[in-house]
Amino acid sequence: MAIALDLSNLDRDKIDDIDLTSDGLRQKIQTGLIQQWATREPFYVISRDIVEVVICRHKDVMEVLNDRERFTATLPPMPGVEHLDHFNGAEHLGRMDGKRHDEIRRVMNPPFAPPALAPHEDAVRAIFDEKIDRILAKGGDFDAMSDFCGDLIKRVLLGLLLKLTPEQQDVMVRLHSKMGLVMETEPGKPHPADFTKAYEAARKTIFDIIAQRRREPADDFIGRLVASRDSGGVVDNDEPIFGNTVAILAAGLGSTATSLGAALMNLCRHQNQFTMLKQRPELLKSAIEECLRMHGPGFFSFPRFAAMDTTVGGTFIPKWATVHIAVQAACYDPEVFPDPSRFDITRNPLNAPVFGAGPHHCLGNRLARFIMRIGLEQVLARMPTLRLVDPEFVPVYTGMFSETAPVSIPMTIN
């Protein structure tokens, strides 16, 4: 049943006339707007005849991310939110709530934990060494995104950890490339045909993988979901196996590449910090956290929806309003991160919610940090003269909805 939202209680002074889906906003976010949002009270955007609320300050972001009673991850039964359904109604952790979410997450969590990732360290390091060998063979000039970062999750998660065939990997990459089309979905209308075609191909492929895991059990997250289903565990049918697999494989393809590319860019923009890291490699963990704080994979996390009329940071939020959580803005809140525009690898900002927080904290965050650590270790060891070709370089950004993926980052070791 469609739900009509009452807009009469909104503070009209807090309505902002912006398009949250525009590429122009994506560019402004990373060139100054994020600092303005970091201290801003929650504000409204009226889009597709629904109320969208943007939450920016650190305390407000943490309040929404941790309150499961007032804010739900489940899409409300109303037109106007179809453009936020990137997985075509599939049941996955990002759209689950409560006990079911927690139990399925516990099934999926162990393959992403450090003990499960550690045995793959040498293989991941070999992937980076192969990339660096090619860069050196070409003379030292390269594009950080296409030559160093671009296919990391495809090779590490899809290839190394899950052992998908090249054909299966290509199906997931194709779906990822079409997911941005979902933003064009009109209220009450189906998703664009090109997306639907890629989605159905991914669905067939994933059910093939599920069948293979039944024949040949494995201790990856797909295999664990299948085992839970077949042993009468919390996974009670194959749909959440499909939904969580498509969400992790398709949505995660760009995030680690973006984060590592941005880390290289920020280290090279701040050569004093890069020099410090080379002199003090024990700061690498802290440096990764500061790089993520300065520039994570996107400016919003998965949206939430108000489960009741409520208030956050002095702003009224009506029931069923879409709540966009600006995690990147929260990382620039000066009340939590003094002098937030200063890049400081000794800061160690562990409370930066770049991968979210609370019960829906990104399941793959440890994999992303694992890959970033190995990649930066190899850069420090083998490309210590790394720098931007243009010290004043400002990238052009692309990506789905709130992703901030640099199209290109020209670098050199010469």
Side-chain angles (χ1 to χ4, degrees):
M1 178 185 297
I3 299 172
L5 295 180
D6 181 5
L7 308 185
S8 62
N9 291 323
L10 303 189
D11 182 343
R12 297 288 167 172
D13 291 336
K14 292 184 176 181
I15 297 177
D16 200 327
D17 184 21
I18 59 174
D19 180 357
L20 296 178
T21 68
S22 72
D23 285 336
L25 177 65
R26 194 192 319 271
Q27 201 70 23
K28 290 177 182 177
I29 285 287
Q30 290 295 359
T31 53
L33 186 60
I34 202 74
Q35 291 92 331
Q36 297 175 34
W37 280 14
T39 58
R40 188 173 180 182
E41 292 183 357
F43 63 91
Y44 307 113
V45 176
I46 310 300
S47 174
R48 304 167 191 252
D49 296 323
I50 66 170
V51 179
E52 300 185 309
V53 185
V54 180
I55 309 291
C56 301
R57 296 179 302 193
H58 190 277
K59 63 181 180 180
D60 299 334
V61 162
M62 298 302 287
E63 179 179 342
V64 172
L65 288 174
N66 285 287
D67 194 323
R68 308 177 81 168
E69 293 186 6
R70 291 188 295 153
F71 301 98
T72 176
T74 305
L75 287 166
M78 56 186 288
V81 297
E82 294 87 350
H83 67 296
L84 300 174
D85 181 13
H86 288 101
F87 304 108
N88 215 30
E91 186 182 21
H92 62 93
L93 290 179
R95 286 284 170 258
M96 290 180 182
D97 284 311
K99 181 180 178 181
R100 183 167 175 79
H101 165 274
D102 295 348
E103 290 179 340
I104 290 181
R105 184 183 176 100
R106 279 195 290 271
V107 173
M108 297 175 62
N109 188 58
F112 293 98
L117 296 175
H120 301 287
E121 179 154 342
D122 288 346
V124 175
R125 198 174 301 279
I127 290 173
F128 280 111
D129 278 337
E130 174 193 319
K131 290 174 177 289
I132 293 172
D133 287 345
R134 286 189 186 140
I135 290 168
L136 296 175
K138 286 170 55 179
D141 294 341
F142 69 103
D143 187 305
M145 297 308 297
S146 61
D147 296 330
F148 195 71
C149 305
D151 62 352
L152 285 174
I153 285 295
K154 177 182 176 182
R155 295 187 63 178
V156 176
L157 177 59
L158 277 61
L160 178 62
L161 301 186
L162 295 177
K163 297 179 172 57
L164 303 191
T165 68
E167 293 76 18
Q168 291 170 334
Q169 295 177 38
D170 288 344
V171 169
M172 303 313 304
V173 171
R174 191 175 308 117
L175 175 60
H176 179 267
S177 72
K178 300 297 183 182
M179 287 177 66
L181 297 174
V182 173
M183 301 306 301
E184 301 174 7
T185 308
E186 297 180 7
K189 302 293 185 181
H191 289 327
D194 283 353
F195 165 80
T196 301
K197 182 178 179 181
Y199 180 86
E200 290 303 324
R203 182 178 177 86
K204 180 182 182 305
T205 294
I206 290 172
F207 272 95
D208 288 344
I209 296 168
I210 292 171
Q212 181 184 32
R213 290 297 187 275
R214 285 203 165 95
R215 296 190 305 269
E216 304 169 15
D219 196 31
D220 54 44
F221 78 89
I222 303 175
R224 290 177 64 86
L225 288 170
V226 171
S228 175
R229 163 79 166 103
D230 294 349
S231 64
V234 64
V235 182
D236 52 11
N237 64 85
D238 283 354
E239 287 301 318
I241 305 177
F242 161 72
N244 282 294
T245 301
V246 73
I248 288 178
L249 299 194
L253 278 170
S255 57
T256 301
T258 294
S259 298
L260 180 57
L264 295 174
M265 180 173 65
N266 271 313
L267 286 168
C268 289
R269 279 176 173 171
H270 304 87
Q271 282 292 329
N272 63 327
Q273 297 294 297
F274 191 25
T275 298
M276 183 190 301
L277 182 58
K278 286 182 280 189
Q279 295 171 345
R280 299 176 57 190
E282 70 274 12
L283 288 174
L284 180 58
K285 183 177 179 180
S286 173
I288 289 172
E289 298 306 318
E290 180 70 344
C291 287
L292 288 169
R293 183 191 71 83
M294 291 288 286
H295 191 315
F299 51 92
F300 288 151
S301 69
F302 271 112
R304 305 294 192 272
F305 305 92
M308 61 186 74
D309 287 351
T310 189
T311 300
V312 173
T315 297
F316 171 72
I317 302 177
K319 184 177 180 179
W320 297 128
T322 301
V323 180
H324 293 295
I325 307 160
V327 289
Q328 192 74 72
C331 293
Y332 280 78
D333 189 331
E335 290 193 5
V336 181
F337 308 104
D339 194 7
S341 295
R342 176 173 55 86
F343 182 65
D344 178 4
I345 65 170
T346 68
R347 190 193 298 265
N348 201 24
L350 297 179
N351 52 348
V354 66
F355 289 110
H360 282 88
H361 188 223
C362 175
L363 185 69
N365 79 89
R366 287 172 295 187
L367 175 61
R369 288 181 165 98
F370 173 75
I371 293 173
M372 289 181 69
R373 173 182 62 79
I374 297 171
L376 290 175
E377 284 175 348
Q378 295 311 96
V379 167
L380 291 171
R382 301 192 59 194
M383 298 196 294
T385 58
L386 182 70
R387 63 180 178 84
L388 290 165
V389 171
D390 176 6
E392 305 300 319
F393 171 75
V394 176
V396 174
Y397 291 100
T398 188
M400 296 186 302
F401 190 34
S402 68
E403 283 184 344
T404 46
V407 174
S408 173
I409 305 177
M411 308 195 91
T412 185
I413 59 172
N414 295 319

